[in-house]
Amino acid sequence: GNSVTQMEGPVTLSEEAFLTINCTYTATGYPSLFWYVQYPGEGLQLLLKATKADDKGSNKGFEATYRKETTSFHLEKGSVQVSDSAVYFCALSAPDSWGKLQFGAGTQVVVTP
Amino acid sequence: DGGITQSPKYLFRKEGQNVTLSCEQNLNHDAMYWYRQDPGQGLRLIYYSQIVNDFQKGDIAEGYSVSREKKESFPLTVTSAQKNPTAFYLCASTLGTGLTGELFFGEGSRLTVL
């Protein structure tokens, strides 16, 4: 079956540090890949997405590249801010899955001033 | 503003009671979903509905029930058969088939069983 594995948290960083959250997946066919972000006490918001191999999704300074050869979709940001403190979820959507997403366990990121 | 509204935000239940969580969307989306979130486990799919008057079980449907009588509404009932109902419940929607699976989420309902 389809699955998503992401690095465990919490990840604690100082402001302006470089952030990487690893995400690898197992899926048949060519899934779409997503990063969602959840701020405390809220629902999830789409951060970025990629729908085919070598696509790069980007938003708010975050980037992730769909690497089919390594089945990965790592999230990166060059300089984090305190406001980036949140839980980040990697997810995949298999073709014709009607939006049923398979989520990773989430990675909590804590950015300190 | 378009969006998904979940209510109540917080809910307390005694053991043996059924509770219903509301989810309403004004995005004109066809498909709606219920996910359960537990610490360290990510999100797990409970039920989903692609069209009105039709719904399918997700990965953890036991102890839950849903209805889809209107396009904009997809309430979730947590029954007394659900053995461990304390969790954060998230409702989501998406426009329809053929898309890449981007979901729009509500702000969630936190259920605590006393």
Side-chain angles (χ1 to χ4, degrees), chain A residues 32 34 36 38 41-44 46 49 51 89 93 98-101 103-105, chain B residues 9 33 35 37 40 42-43 45 48 50 88 90 97 100-103 105-107:
Chain A
S32 296
F34 305 84
Y36 281 83
Q38 184 179 35
E42 298 184 6
L44 277 68
L46 179 66
K49 67 180 182 182
T51 59
F89 292 92
S93 175
W98 264 88
K100 290 184 294 177
L101 295 183
F103 285 89
Chain B
K9 196 171 178 70
Y33 308 80
Y35 284 89
Q37 184 177 16
L43 279 71
L45 183 63
Y48 64 102
Q50 299 169 354
F88 190 51
L90 288 160
T97 187
T100 54
E102 176 182 348
L103 294 183
F105 283 86
E107 293 198 343

Side-chain angles (χ1 to χ4, degrees), chain B residues 1-6 23-32 68 70-74 91-95 104-106:
Chain B
D1 288 337
I4 299 176
T5 301
Q6 290 188 238
C23 177
E24 303 277 333
Q25 54 98 359
N26 60 5
L27 301 167
N28 199 33
H29 283 175
D30 297 306
M32 298 185 72
R68 187 86 186 276
K70 299 184 295 183
K71 186 176 184 177
E72 59 270 23
S73 179
F74 191 42
C91 180
S93 69
T94 192
L95 185 57
F104 294 80
F105 283 86

Side-chain angles (χ1 to χ4, degrees), chain A residues 36-57:
Chain A
Y36 281 83
V37 59
Q38 184 179 35
Y39 299 103
E42 298 184 6
L44 277 68
Q45 304 172 24
L46 179 66
L47 182 59
L48 53 84
K49 67 180 182 182
T51 59
K52 61 183 186 296
D54 300 325
D55 267 1
K56 177 185 282 188

Side-chain angles (χ1 to χ4, degrees), chain A residues 40-98:
Chain A
E42 298 184 6
L44 277 68
Q45 304 172 24
L46 179 66
L47 182 59
L48 53 84
K49 67 180 182 182
T51 59
K52 61 183 186 296
D54 300 325
D55 267 1
K56 177 185 282 188
S58 61
N59 186 26
K60 300 181 181 179
F62 290 89
E63 292 184 341
T65 301
Y66 188 163
R67 301 285 189 201
K68 187 156 181 66
E69 63 277 13
T70 55
T71 61
S72 64
F73 193 54
H74 305 323
L75 181 69
E76 296 181 337
K77 186 173 184 180
S79 176
V80 294
Q81 305 300 312
V82 172
S83 58
D84 293 324
S85 299
V87 180
Y88 294 82
F89 292 92
C90 186
L92 71 81
S93 175
D96 300 322
S97 65
W98 264 88

Side-chain angles (χ1 to χ4, degrees), chain B residues 63-102:
Chain B
Y64 300 96
S65 66
V66 293
S67 63
R68 187 86 186 276
E69 297 176 359
K70 299 184 295 183
K71 186 176 184 177
E72 59 270 23
S73 179
F74 191 42
L76 173 74
T77 297
V78 184
T79 75
S80 56
Q82 168 51 232
K83 291 181 172 40
N84 185 19
T86 294
F88 190 51
Y89 291 89
L90 288 160
C91 180
S93 69
T94 192
L95 185 57
T97 187
L99 296 184
T100 54
E102 176 182 348

